[in-house]
Amino acid sequence: MPVISVINYKGGVGKTTVAANLAAKLAWRGRRVLLIDMDSQASLTFSFVKPEQWRDDLETDGTIKSWFDSFEDGQPMCLEDLVFQPEDVTKRLRRTSGEIHLIASHLGLINVDLDLATELGGATVSKTKAAFLRVHQRLRNGLSALVDQFDLVLIDCPPNFNVVTKTAIVASDHLLIPAKPDYLSTLGIDYLRRSLDQLVEDFNDYATSGGGAKVEAIDPKVMGVVFTMVQVTSGKPIAAQRPFISQVANLRMPVFDQWIRENKTLFADAPEYGVPVVIGNRPSGQTYKTVVQEIERFVDEFEKSLWP
Ligand SMILES: Nc1ncnc2c1ncn2[C@@H]1O[C@H](COP(=O)(O)OP(=O)(O)OP(=O)(O)O)[C@@H](O)[C@H]1O
Ligand SMILES: [Mg+2]
């Protein structure tokens, strides 16, 4: 069961939009997808679930925050108990064999980062090592109990590199990096690459340096950068954006051939709709068709890369 984190610590680059649409299209094609919202902004959660439902059914003990908290309380929950199928998108998928399952997030997840950071302290070197591995492996271990219940797991990460994000990376086989083709995003990708390398090195140092139980090394692979919010002229990215796309390809980073264009109208109303744009039931206009086609081609590449 491949685990993929959608990550970039630059904010607002389309991570959540890519995660939701990718999941929806894969489910439309018959796959069982588990989405995990690891961002305290909970945008992914609220693109599938109405705020009233979140308050009534999930807020108290039904989110990823409850799961992290349960370790602090000494009575760990099972991730499985948090998984549910959001209603609107499930209705939309009823004629397919695919499924979208979700583990929701919580606005208070931000405090979990503080708790985890506190748990990382240790009085001795060996205690520090043990704490590092215990905390960073938490999600990895949690997911191993769900093995083969889904065709893949997609984790929507927050725009930071805090401990919660690191637990997602440690749990991942692959990383998908949405980015905007502009100067700061390009700088950010290089920085992200270095932070990822550092985390993998630290984890594997601790994992292999003896003492305690045996821990398997990690090796999350960057699947690629997918450019989003691309401005298009005559079917191509505008001249001002093209250099940034080629620059990323020069950073020893794989880049998806297909990008996704900027379209404020289509993407802006998505969060209130309950069903991602790519499988939405919308009036057929040429722009809508073009956007759907771009997402579909990106999903084709994603599938080829994951299941060659
Ligand atoms: N291709 C697009 N064209 C136009 N607007 C888009 C596009 N993709 C996403 N958006 C909009 O841009 C905003 C940010 O997108 P999104 O929430 O997916 O980014 P994010 O990287 O997850 O942000 P954050 O870092 O805050 O989690 C949202 O309002 C979304 O609807
Ligand atoms: Mg997001």
Side-chain angles (χ1 to χ4, degrees):
M1 187 176 69
V3 179
I4 299 102
S5 280
V6 184
I7 181 171
N8 189 333
Y9 47 4
K10 192 139 176 27
V13 294
K15 295 180 289 295
T16 302
T17 306
V18 165
N21 282 281
L22 175 60
K25 194 73 221 183
L26 290 170
W28 190 258
R29 293 179 180 177
R31 308 220 189 242
R32 297 163 307 163
V33 185
L34 172 62
L35 276 169
I36 307 181
D37 188 354
M38 298 277 276
D39 186 356
S40 62
Q41 298 176 95
S43 323
L44 184 72
T45 301
F46 292 122
S47 51
F48 289 103
V49 174
K50 294 189 183 71
E52 308 83 73
Q53 194 207 338
W54 182 84
R55 270 197 307 272
D56 294 346
D57 304 343
L58 303 170
E59 181 173 9
T60 315
D61 54 11
T63 69
I64 192 74
K65 175 182 186 298
S66 336
W67 183 76
F68 277 111
D69 286 346
S70 72
F71 287 84
E72 303 295 320
D73 303 341
Q75 292 187 313
M77 296 169 78
C78 290
L79 275 178
E80 195 170 1
D81 299 339
L82 301 169
V83 177
F84 70 101
Q85 287 179 273
E87 201 177 308
D88 291 341
V89 75
T90 300
K91 268 193 209 141
R92 182 75 187 128
L93 291 166
R94 71 186 177 281
R95 287 181 210 286
T96 72
S97 57
E99 293 163 9
I100 288 191
H101 301 254
L102 177 67
I103 296 180
S105 188
H106 192 293
L107 307 168
L109 188 63
I110 198 84
N111 300 321
V112 169
D113 260 315
L114 298 175
D115 292 338
L116 292 179
T118 311
E119 213 184 319
L120 282 176
T124 62
V125 174
S126 70
K127 281 193 176 136
T128 305
K129 268 187 196 173
F132 182 96
L133 291 171
R134 187 178 65 243
V135 168
H136 286 83
Q137 284 203 104
R138 196 154 285 167
L139 186 66
R140 187 194 204 192
N141 291 338
L143 283 173
S144 66
L146 299 178
V147 79
D148 291 338
Q149 288 189 35
F150 306 99
D151 295 316
L152 80 163
V153 180
L154 274 178
I155 307 175
D156 187 31
C157 291
N160 63 45
F161 213 71
N162 296 347
V163 189
V164 167
T165 312
K166 288 179 182 168
T167 66
I169 295 164
V170 168
S172 295
D173 306 294
H174 304 276
L175 308 167
L176 174 65
I177 308 178
K180 269 167 55 165
D182 62 31
Y183 178 67
L184 288 175
S185 298
T186 322
L187 282 183
I189 288 174
D190 192 29
Y191 192 52
L192 175 67
R193 165 118 236 175
R194 281 183 275 140
S195 311
L196 289 169
D197 288 348
Q198 189 63 55
L199 173 64
V200 172
E201 190 183 318
D202 290 347
F203 185 93
N204 289 343
D205 266 0
Y206 282 168
T208 52
S209 65
K214 202 167 160 33
V215 173
E216 225 177 286
I218 56 167
D219 185 21
K221 298 262 191 322
V222 176
M223 287 182 91
V225 174
V226 54
F227 282 100
T228 61
M229 303 185 206
V230 172
Q231 289 171 266
V232 180
T233 176
S234 320
K236 280 197 200 139
I238 58 167
Q241 290 187 333
R242 267 178 259 153
F244 298 113
I245 298 181
S246 28
Q247 221 167 309
V248 169
N250 294 335
L251 291 171
R252 38 176 203 121
M253 274 285 190
V255 177
F256 283 87
D257 290 333
Q258 183 63 58
W259 34 257
I260 298 163
R261 76 181 54 208
E262 181 171 70
N263 187 301
K264 293 235 158 65
T265 322
L266 278 175
F267 287 102
D269 66 342
E272 287 147 60
Y273 196 73
V275 177
V277 173
V278 73
I279 62 164
N281 206 353
R282 291 175 197 230
S284 57
Q286 190 49 48
T287 319
Y288 176 61
K289 276 192 195 144
T290 310
V291 167
V292 166
Q293 206 171 55
E294 284 168 5
I295 301 175
E296 283 175 348
R297 287 189 184 141
F298 158 67
V299 178
D300 292 343
E301 275 187 68
F302 177 94
E303 284 192 293
K304 255 188 218 147
S305 158
L306 202 57
W307 297 288

